[in-house]
């Protein structure tokens, strides 16, 4: 029996969770199929998911299909929870992308398919809801080929679409040979010679599907069960088994973290190699390429696994070990985080989707316990690191990053339902970045010109292209002072770049240390170490923000706002009403294509106006308009008032205020 870790992905409301229920029923795991509307599905276990009828958190459930054990991961479909999908993609062997036969290819469908193809994850397409009124299988199949991928292989035809009697009739279309021959020279030669057997064709289909070169398309109804048997056959036959050597060194990846009933951390991990047992001590952390240190510079943490659960027959069951290829729940690793490597680092955890481009302030209700709010938000950040908490100690305010307004509503409901903390939010604002305009340098010398710190720090800032990240370099000898002082400067540089001259993060630049110096350790007889005459890490951590901000002042920075690429499908006769609104929202159409009574516009729009465009589009297009948008790039903010972000640091822009705030923090 082989193992398959399978993801179910779709645009919201395409029927993904209903398909999961049907698969579980077909496998004999459940006796009765749950309903999203009734709130009794297996994978939507959160009260909020049942209430809203949408998937918010990924869920794992296991079942057997003859000789294949499937760990099925149901993922959210709403774009506001794309971060939850991102974490799952890195642990999949294959995927089923669900498309509605009524609504067709939708914005999130395109985003997901592009990512699945980029990661080369073998993917089957399932056109759901063929029994629903308005189902149009042939049109949706054309849209899949035109908008998702041309390499689609229809696995059958649909009869009586739009009725309760709708059915899927399996059978490879003649076009399958043409598509498969494009990727197989031997098959092409046999095709030209007229010697292609059906068995050879099926073998080529399986091989190319497992290589993510082609994507078989099935159709059916999760509600009636039509076509689901054919899809199950495709899952068994065409998708690859999970690999991994159980005797190799332990290596796994954490893709989800939750809290158990007693508040303990529980990590969901996919094991890629080795065998992990209870009571094993195991290193974990966000390793660099050399596998030695975490991203924050600290050595990787070690912890002892106190309990293991593996997934089997619809639930998770306790076991003494988990082997390569399987997904497990692990207890005992108190400092574990999403994205951490367990054991031998397999590869750096990367982001497949863009980070959040919006931010809001959490406002506690009158009488709310602020400490309880902080604890609750910290718990939420464990489950979703991309909400990126930012706390303003002076004003006692907390900022969170967001993908959209629905995510804000879910955070509000989760805080109330799970933690008993009631909050509101301020208006959502876009998350900009700052980029250095030129090069700038500054230096402060030990015991000179009013420098209150026993340290010499000189820094130069140079701009780098977008996506380069932050690099810290030395133009001074590493042995010129203790390594801990260099480390204090580098860590503080990276922290300070989180808030530039206008309060925004500076994501891409090189910072070079040009000057260094310190006061050696001073001791007095019978008195020991004299801190007032000897440099400490505090001196370098305190001075570095002042020097770096001065270097940034001399370099100059420019604020860049996030822009989304958009694609709008709308009736051609609505363009006259649509274009002025796009202009008011600073959306710039770059291409326009007309096909009969429908037109397609593609261009860019500021992230700040995407939500308003979503709200206005139905009214402007008689409800027929369809918007697809995703973060694309940052562009210079328009001339005029430069958008500023409220600072939450000690404000090194104002030397006097900074030193006063630093004194208060140290004293407190």
């Amino acid at each position: 029996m082989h193992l398959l870790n399978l993801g179910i992905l779709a645009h919201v409301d395409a029927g993904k969770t209903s398909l999961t229920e049907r698969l579980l029923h077909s496998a004999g795991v459940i006796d009765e199929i749950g309903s999203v509307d009734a709130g009794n599905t297996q994978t939507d276990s959160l009260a909020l998911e049942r209430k809203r009828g949408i998937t918010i958190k990924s869920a794992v459930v296991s079942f057997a299909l003859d000789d294949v054990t499937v760990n099925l991961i149901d993922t959210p479909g709403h774009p506001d929870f794309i971060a939850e999908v991102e974490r799952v993609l890195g642990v999949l062997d294959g995927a089923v992308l669900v498309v509605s036969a009524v609504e067709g290819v939708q914005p999130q469908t395109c985003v997901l398919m592009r990512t699945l193809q980029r990661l080369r994850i073998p993917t089957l397409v399932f056109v759901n809801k063929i029994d629903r009124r308005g189902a149009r299988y042939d049109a949706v199949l054309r849209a899949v080929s035109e908008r998702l991928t041309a390499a689609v292989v229809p696995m059958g035809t649909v009869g009586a679409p739009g009725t309760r009697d709708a059915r899927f009739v399996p059978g490879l279309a003649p076009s399958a040979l043409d598509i498969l021959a494009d990727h197989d020279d031997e098959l092409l030669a046999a095709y030209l010679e007229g010697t292609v057997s059906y068995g050879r064709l099926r073998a080529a289909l399986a091989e190319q599907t497992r290589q993510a070169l082609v994507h078989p398309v099935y159709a059916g109804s999760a509600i009636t069960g039509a076509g689901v048997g054919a899809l199950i056959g495709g899952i068994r036959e065409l998708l690859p088994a999970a690999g991994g050597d159980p005797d190799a060194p332990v290596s796994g990846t954490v893709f989800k973290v939750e809290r158990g009933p007693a508040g303990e951390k529980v990590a969901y991990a996919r094991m890629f190699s080795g065998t992990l047992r209870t009571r094993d001590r195991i290193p974990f952390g966000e390793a660099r390429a050399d596998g030695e240190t975490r991203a924050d510079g600290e050595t990787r943490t070690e912890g002892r696994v106190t309990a293991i659960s593996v997934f089997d027959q619809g639930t998770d069951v306790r076991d003494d070990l988990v082997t390569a290829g399987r997904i497990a729940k692990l207890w005992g690793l108190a400092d574990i985080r999403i994205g951490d490597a367990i054991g031998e680092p397999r590869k750096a955890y990367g982001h497949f989707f863009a980070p959040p481009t919006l931010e809001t302030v959490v406002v506690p209700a009158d009488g709310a316990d602020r400490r309880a709010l902080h604890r609750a938000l910290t718990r939420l950040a464990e489950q979703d690191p991309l909400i990126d908490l930012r706390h303003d100690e002076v004003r006692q305010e907390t900022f969170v990053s967001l993908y959209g307004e629905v995510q804000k509503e879910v955070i509000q409901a989760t805080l109330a339902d799970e933690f008993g903390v009631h909050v509101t939010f301020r208006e959502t604002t876009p998350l900009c970045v700052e980029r250095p305009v030129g090069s700038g340098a500054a230096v402060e010398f030990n015991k000179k010109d009013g420098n209150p710190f026993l340290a010499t720090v000189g820094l130069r800032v140079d701009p780098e292209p977008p996506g380069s990240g932050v690099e810290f370099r030395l133009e001074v000898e590493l042995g010129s002072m203790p390594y801990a002082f260099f480390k204090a400067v580098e860590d503080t540089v990276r922290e300070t770049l989180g808030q530039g001259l206008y309060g925004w993060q500076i994501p891409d630049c090189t910072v070079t240390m040009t000057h260094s110096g310190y006061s050696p350790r001073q001791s007095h007889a019978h008195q020991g170490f004299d801190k007032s005459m000897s440099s400490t890490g505090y001196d370098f951590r305190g001075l570095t923000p002042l020097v770096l901000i001065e270097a940034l002042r001399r370099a100059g920075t420019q604020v860049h706002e996030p822009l989304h690429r958009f694609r709008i499908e709308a009736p051609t006769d609505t363009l006259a009403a649509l274009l002025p609104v796009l202009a008011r929202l600073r959306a710039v159409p770059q291409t326009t294509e007309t096909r009969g009574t429908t037109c397609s516009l593609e261009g860019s729009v500021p992230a700040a106006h995407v939500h308003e465009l979503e709200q206005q589009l139905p009214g402007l297009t008689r409800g027929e308009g369809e918007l697809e948008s995703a973060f694309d790039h940052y562009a210079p903010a328009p001339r005029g008032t430069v958008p500023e972000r409220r600072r939450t640091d000690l404000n090194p822009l104002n030397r006097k205020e900074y030193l006063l705030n630093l004194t208060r923090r140290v004293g407190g």
Side-chain angles (χ1 to χ4, degrees):
M1 176 175 285
H2 72 256
L3 185 67
L4 168 66
N5 294 300
L6 178 71
I8 303 285
L9 300 92
H11 187 100
V12 66
D13 290 336
K16 166 180 49 62
T17 300
S18 298
L19 177 59
T20 299
E21 291 290 307
R22 175 59 66 175
L23 290 173
L24 293 176
H25 182 266
S26 299
V29 173
I30 56 176
D31 296 326
E32 185 177 347
I33 295 176
S35 164
V36 173
D37 293 335
N40 59 352
T41 60
Q42 292 289 303
T43 52
D44 285 347
S45 58
L46 297 178
L48 188 57
E49 291 177 315
R50 299 180 185 278
K51 180 179 178 181
R52 295 184 67 101
I54 61 173
T55 301
I56 297 170
K57 295 293 181 184
S58 59
V60 183
V61 65
S62 180
F63 56 91
L65 298 176
D66 295 333
D67 60 340
V68 180
T69 296
V70 178
N71 285 329
L72 189 148
I73 308 176
D74 185 19
T75 61
H78 198 285
D80 281 12
F81 307 107
I82 196 69
E84 193 73 21
V85 179
E86 173 182 89
R87 292 187 277 274
V88 168
L89 291 178
V91 305
L92 297 181
D93 302 307
V96 174
L97 182 65
V98 184
V99 182
S100 168
V102 179
E103 289 83 8
V105 174
Q106 295 173 279
Q108 187 75 346
T109 323
C110 299
V111 173
L112 292 169
M113 189 58 165
R114 280 196 296 266
T115 306
L116 288 165
Q117 289 180 305
R118 188 166 71 248
L119 298 175
R120 301 193 66 80
I121 295 175
T123 302
L124 310 181
V125 178
F126 183 72
V127 180
N128 191 27
K129 303 183 181 181
I130 63 169
D131 59 318
R132 290 270 300 275
R133 180 179 299 178
R136 40 198 184 89
Y137 171 71
D138 292 337
V140 170
L141 188 60
R142 284 195 301 272
V144 168
S145 178
E146 292 170 1
R147 296 182 58 185
L148 298 184
T149 172
V152 294
V153 179
M155 299 301 292
T157 58
V158 171
T163 71
R164 293 288 294 180
D165 297 325
R167 62 193 181 279
F168 180 70
V169 183
L172 278 176
S175 61
L177 184 55
D178 295 329
I179 295 166
L180 294 170
D182 284 344
H183 304 285
D184 188 332
D185 291 339
E186 292 183 6
L187 184 64
L188 177 59
Y191 172 36
L192 295 175
E193 295 169 3
T195 59
V196 178
S197 67
Y198 182 75
R200 176 73 177 84
L201 198 61
R202 295 292 300 197
L205 175 64
E207 181 181 356
Q208 294 187 30
T209 302
R210 289 168 185 162
Q211 295 178 31
L213 296 174
V214 300
H215 304 285
V217 180
Y218 296 85
S221 167
I223 300 301
T224 67
V228 174
L231 174 65
I232 289 174
I235 292 171
R236 289 176 47 246
E237 177 191 357
L238 303 177
L239 294 180
D245 181 359
D247 297 321
V250 170
S251 178
T253 299
V254 175
F255 65 92
K256 178 178 178 177
V257 172
E258 65 183 16
R259 291 276 179 170
E264 75 280 15
K265 270 191 183 180
V266 183
Y268 287 67
R270 158 74 190 267
M271 304 307 298
F272 291 99
S273 66
T275 299
L276 183 63
R277 295 175 172 83
T278 53
R279 295 181 293 282
D280 279 354
R281 286 194 67 83
I282 193 76
F284 61 87
E286 221 173 324
R288 289 178 176 171
D290 59 12
E292 293 300 322
T293 56
R294 294 175 73 107
D296 57 11
E298 298 297 326
T299 56
R300 297 184 73 208
T301 306
E302 271 202 1
R304 187 183 300 278
V305 177
T306 58
I308 296 174
S309 281
V310 295
F311 290 89
D312 187 42
Q313 288 299 306
T315 186
D316 59 288
V317 294
R318 288 298 175 100
D319 204 332
D320 293 330
L321 55 84
V322 55
T323 56
R326 303 200 74 168
I327 289 175
K329 294 167 69 172
L330 308 176
W331 281 259
L333 307 178
D335 297 321
I336 199 80
R337 300 183 298 190
I338 288 172
D340 277 356
I342 296 176
E344 294 290 326
R346 181 170 172 265
K347 61 180 179 179
Y349 178 73
H351 293 304
F352 311 131
F353 300 102
T357 56
L358 302 172
E359 184 178 64
T360 187
V361 177
V362 183
V363 181
D366 291 341
D369 185 338
R370 290 182 179 273
R371 286 178 297 182
L373 172 60
H374 182 72
R375 286 194 300 270
L377 287 171
T378 301
R379 289 281 184 92
L380 291 184
E382 290 175 357
Q383 300 170 20
D384 186 357
L386 291 182
I387 69 172
D388 189 28
L389 297 182
R390 198 169 64 94
H391 188 63
D392 184 341
E393 294 181 4
V394 177
R395 299 176 182 84
Q396 290 297 298
E397 292 179 343
T398 301
F399 298 73
V400 296
S401 303
L402 300 168
Y403 278 99
E405 296 298 317
V406 172
Q407 187 182 14
K408 186 162 67 174
E409 295 170 15
V410 167
I411 291 174
Q412 183 180 37
T414 302
L415 289 172
D417 296 347
E418 295 188 20
F419 300 98
V421 179
H422 297 276
V423 301
T424 56
F425 296 92
R426 295 212 186 120
E427 183 181 1
T428 303
T429 57
L431 273 172
C432 301
V433 298
E434 288 182 53
R435 300 197 184 282
V437 176
S439 298
V443 61
E444 294 212 19
F445 294 97
N446 189 353
K447 302 178 183 177
K448 290 184 180 180
D449 302 323
N451 176 7
F453 301 100
L454 297 178
T456 294
V457 174
L459 298 171
R460 184 179 68 247
V461 177
D462 296 299
E464 297 293 344
S468 301
V470 174
E471 184 175 359
F472 182 78
R473 296 177 179 172
L474 296 178
E475 278 186 1
V476 294
E477 291 187 10
L478 188 59
S480 61
M481 65 180 187
Y483 173 75
F485 295 162
F486 286 112
K487 188 68 171 61
V489 173
E490 179 179 357
D491 289 349
T492 307
V493 161
R494 295 184 183 277
E495 180 182 348
T496 304
L497 289 174
Q499 299 183 62
L501 301 182
Y502 299 98
W504 305 104
Q505 180 186 10
I506 300 177
D508 304 298
C509 68
T510 295
V511 179
T512 304
M513 191 169 185
T514 58
H515 298 75
S516 65
Y518 74 109
S519 295
R521 183 182 182 93
Q522 301 290 324
S523 299
H524 298 288
H526 310 297
Q527 294 182 2
F529 174 53
D530 187 346
K531 184 177 179 181
S532 67
M533 298 177 63
S534 311
S535 297
T536 65
Y538 162 81
D539 292 294
F540 288 90
R541 288 190 295 271
L543 181 59
T544 297
L546 292 173
V547 177
L548 181 57
I549 287 294
E550 183 57 33
L552 285 170
R553 271 202 183 101
R554 295 175 183 180
T557 65
Q558 185 176 30
V559 176
H560 287 58
E561 65 176 349
L563 293 186
H564 283 221
R565 66 176 179 275
F566 73 84
R567 184 176 189 274
I568 293 177
E569 294 270 352
T572 305
D573 61 0
T574 64
L575 272 181
L578 183 58
L579 290 175
V581 174
L582 291 177
R584 181 176 61 79
L585 299 177
R586 293 197 289 121
V588 181
Q590 291 158 346
T591 62
T592 304
E593 180 183 351
T594 302
R595 296 189 302 274
T597 60
T598 302
C599 69
S600 173
L601 287 80
E602 294 189 18
S604 61
V605 58
H609 300 311
V610 169
H611 183 59
E612 186 176 353
L613 180 56
E614 289 173 339
Q615 290 180 314
Q616 294 206 25
L617 188 63
L620 296 169
T621 60
R622 301 189 298 272
E624 299 178 47
E626 180 182 300
L627 171 68
E628 174 189 341
S629 76
F631 170 78
D632 189 59
H633 67 285
Y634 289 95
R639 293 180 179 179
T641 303
V642 178
E644 293 193 44
R645 186 190 199 192
R646 186 183 300 170
R647 306 192 74 86
T648 58
D649 58 10
L650 302 181
N651 193 18
L653 288 171
N654 184 317
R655 187 183 186 92
K656 183 177 179 181
E657 180 183 340
Y658 171 80
L659 294 174
L660 182 61
N661 288 335
L662 185 63
T663 303
R664 287 172 177 166
R665 172 182 282 184
V666 174

